[in-house]
């Protein structure tokens, strides 16, 4: 039976706290593991993340580049392969949303030429790239 006075934490769960500044013999005396001089050796001495001692930090030395439009969430692309698997004669934005091919926020859809289209599909209110348009019309479909 387990007694309250005999329970102890699992092996390795607890470890002794590092006692610094307690003499030469401890191995952590004098400078207490902080090295010699400098901001990091002082009490209360700290600096912000990315601070390089006053030198122009890396994130400010590099040029700002690029931008991501916040309108991208309203645009979507659908491949010819996905259109082929849809098995519908007429396709518009609502059918694509209900099929889960585009997100619910999407307002503009464009068909891109990736894969093959073997069925005749009539698209309404949906754009297409030049190559995709040619492939749709070659399969007997149309864009409106």
């Amino acid at each position: 039976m387990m007694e309250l006075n005999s329970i102890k934490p699992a092996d390795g769960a607890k470890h002794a706290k590092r006692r610094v500044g307690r003499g030469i013999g401890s191995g952590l005396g004098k400078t207490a593991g902080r090295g010699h001089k400098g901001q990091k050796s002082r009490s209360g001495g700290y600096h912000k993340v990315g601070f390089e001692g006053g030198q122009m930090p890396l994130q400010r030395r590099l040029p700002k580049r690029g931008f991501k439009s916040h309108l991208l969430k309203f645009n979507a692309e659908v491949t010819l392969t996905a259109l082929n698997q849809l098995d519908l004669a007429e396709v518009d934005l609502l059918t694509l949303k209900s099929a889960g091919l585009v997100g619910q926020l999407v307002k503009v859809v464009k068909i891109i030429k990736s894969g093959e289209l073997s069925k005749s599909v009539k698209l309404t209110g949906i754009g297409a790239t030049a190559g995709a348009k040619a492939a749709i019309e070659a399969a007997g479909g149309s864009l409106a």
Side-chain angles (χ1 to χ4, degrees):
M1 188 164 143
M2 189 184 290
E3 301 289 336
L4 281 177
N5 64 352
S6 68
I7 59 173
K8 63 188 182 77
D11 288 334
K14 295 277 196 176
H15 52 91
K17 188 128 167 58
R18 186 169 78 151
R19 295 187 71 217
V20 297
R22 291 294 180 273
I24 295 168
S26 71
L28 288 169
K30 193 177 171 238
T31 55
R34 287 171 173 257
H36 290 277
K37 299 186 182 173
Q39 188 177 17
K40 285 166 75 175
S41 72
R42 319 278 186 207
S43 72
Y46 79 99
H47 56 75
K48 292 183 173 134
V49 173
F51 183 70
E52 296 182 21
Q55 170 177 295
M56 186 61 70
L58 184 67
Q59 77 271 19
R60 289 192 58 201
R61 275 180 298 195
L62 298 175
K64 295 203 283 188
R65 185 159 184 270
F67 129 96
K68 187 172 180 182
S69 172
H70 64 96
L71 299 172
L72 282 176
K73 62 185 171 199
F74 300 117
N75 300 343
E77 292 176 348
V78 176
T79 62
L80 287 176
T81 310
L83 207 59
N84 206 26
Q85 289 170 347
L86 201 55
D87 268 348
L88 290 170
E90 291 193 22
V91 176
D92 62 352
L93 189 57
L94 283 171
T95 56
L96 290 175
K97 282 183 180 179
S98 60
L101 284 176
V102 298
Q104 293 299 318
L105 290 173
V106 171
K107 291 179 182 157
V108 179
V109 176
K110 201 170 213 182
I111 308 296
I112 58 172
K113 185 179 184 255
S114 174
E116 297 295 320
L117 183 68
S118 57
K119 300 177 180 76
S120 170
V121 179
K122 186 186 177 204
L123 301 172
T124 48
I126 295 172
T129 61
K133 187 175 180 181
I136 290 163
E137 287 168 351
S142 65
L143 282 98

